[in-house]
Amino acid sequence: LGPLDRVAFSFVRAIMVRQATLLALLVLLAASVSGFLRPNFRPRYPAKAKGFIPKQILNAGNETYLSNIRALTTEGTNAEAYWSFDGTRLSFQSIREPLADTHPCDQIYTMYVNGNPDIQLVSTGKGRDTCAYFTPDGEHVIYSSTQAGMPGQDGKHCPATPDMNYGYLWPLYKSMDIYSVHLKTGTLKQLTNSVGYDAETTISPNKTQLVFTSDRDGDLELYIADLEIKTVRRMTYTPGYDGGAYFSNNGNMLVWRGNRPQGSDLTDYLNLLELGLVEPTDMQLFVMTDINNPNSVVQVTNNGAVNFAPFFLPNDDGIIFSSNVHDP
């Protein structure tokens, strides 16, 4: 891939990350994990806007590289939008009315980016959903959900979330599995059924493989599989979080965010992992230059910051990503 100076540019976004005293965290968690998980937590979301404005132009301020920025959503909380392969639609997760009134956690939606957005709920309205991605044929969306629940538990309701008063933590729900939904018929198919976190799925431009993150082997690692997830191949083996991976345009490389804790930081990471939590701080970017050789990993950043959402440039000679490098 070449040195960092080959990266075309980076989007810099300040990410406010509150650091917790991990010792206090672990003591309290040992006393009562439920003290950190708030089952009645309801995320805030803006009031419903009056009418949709599909061509609303935002003030780009001092942006150097971005122009013609327009808002695509005007209500609720919306995140993790991914393009369909034909470039006409987005899949995304959202907490929005009317479902948010009774089920205030993320569900999966699709929308068109031009003309009438025709925003459609495509998930079941059960559990917590994330990481939606169109299949190459545009007829299905693959996403992750807790809707099946754990044995003896009801997965229909919103699962508990970490209390952010103790730091910025991500939950790793053991009931999080990968599903495929047919957009016309609503037929749902569960693709993974292992106890543990299976999520962060994206699909290769070669349209035959997908990559996802899982803790099925005791650590958060990357796995490549066919679109039905029948043949699974582990790609990373270094202790620490590996996630948010994307294929290159030629389908031969991977780029992702990762954390490589050492010493006491590794102990803290493993303790949190055991509790189903991860602290996504000090995220660096990595590239596997040949997916047929898992040892071909190059670390692209080493800036002590949080680097997110890396994606290959169209000619695969660099990456674009978000970072708080100027204000870690």
Side-chain angles (χ1 to χ4, degrees), residues 26-39:
L26 294 175
V27 169
L28 288 171
L29 277 169
S32 174
V33 174
S34 62
F36 283 84
L37 300 177
R38 297 182 288 173

Side-chain angles (χ1 to χ4, degrees), residues 17 44-45 75 102 111 145 159 166 173 178 188 254 293 300 306:
V17 179
R44 297 178 180 178
Y45 61 96
E75 63 179 273
T102 57
M111 67 177 297
S145 177
Y166 297 97
Y173 299 115
I178 302 173
L188 188 69
L254 289 175
N293 178 13
V300 180
V306 179

Side-chain angles (χ1 to χ4, degrees), residues 82-86 88-92 107-112 117-124 129 131-143 179-189 203:
Y82 299 104
W83 290 98
S84 60
F85 278 79
D86 64 7
T88 64
R89 290 178 291 173
L90 293 173
S91 60
F92 63 102
Q107 293 294 297
I108 302 303
Y109 295 79
T110 62
M111 67 177 297
Y112 287 90
D118 190 26
I119 298 177
Q120 296 289 330
L121 172 68
V122 299
S123 58
T124 62
D129 303 335
C131 307
Y133 214 86
F134 278 98
T135 55
D137 59 14
E139 296 182 357
H140 301 78
V141 164
I142 290 177
Y143 69 98
Y179 294 80
S180 173
V181 60
H182 193 285
L183 297 179
K184 290 185 178 180
T185 66
T187 302
L188 188 69
K189 183 177 182 179
I203 299 177

Side-chain angles (χ1 to χ4, degrees), residues 185-252:
T185 66
T187 302
L188 188 69
K189 183 177 182 179
Q190 187 169 346
L191 300 181
T192 62
N193 191 22
S194 60
V195 176
Y197 175 85
D198 294 324
E200 305 177 34
T201 305
T202 61
I203 299 177
S204 171
N206 68 20
K207 303 180 181 181
T208 62
Q209 295 178 305
L210 56 78
V211 60
F212 65 99
T213 295
S214 177
D215 63 356
R216 59 184 57 197
D217 292 326
D219 192 15
L220 288 165
E221 305 289 359
L222 297 180
Y223 297 80
I224 282 181
D226 60 279
L227 297 188
E228 294 292 323
I229 314 187
K230 293 181 178 178
T231 302
V232 179
R233 179 162 54 109
R234 181 171 169 177
M235 303 303 295
T236 55
Y237 291 86
T238 306
Y241 170 83
D242 292 288
Y246 299 89
F247 287 93
S248 58
N249 296 282
N250 63 17
N252 296 329

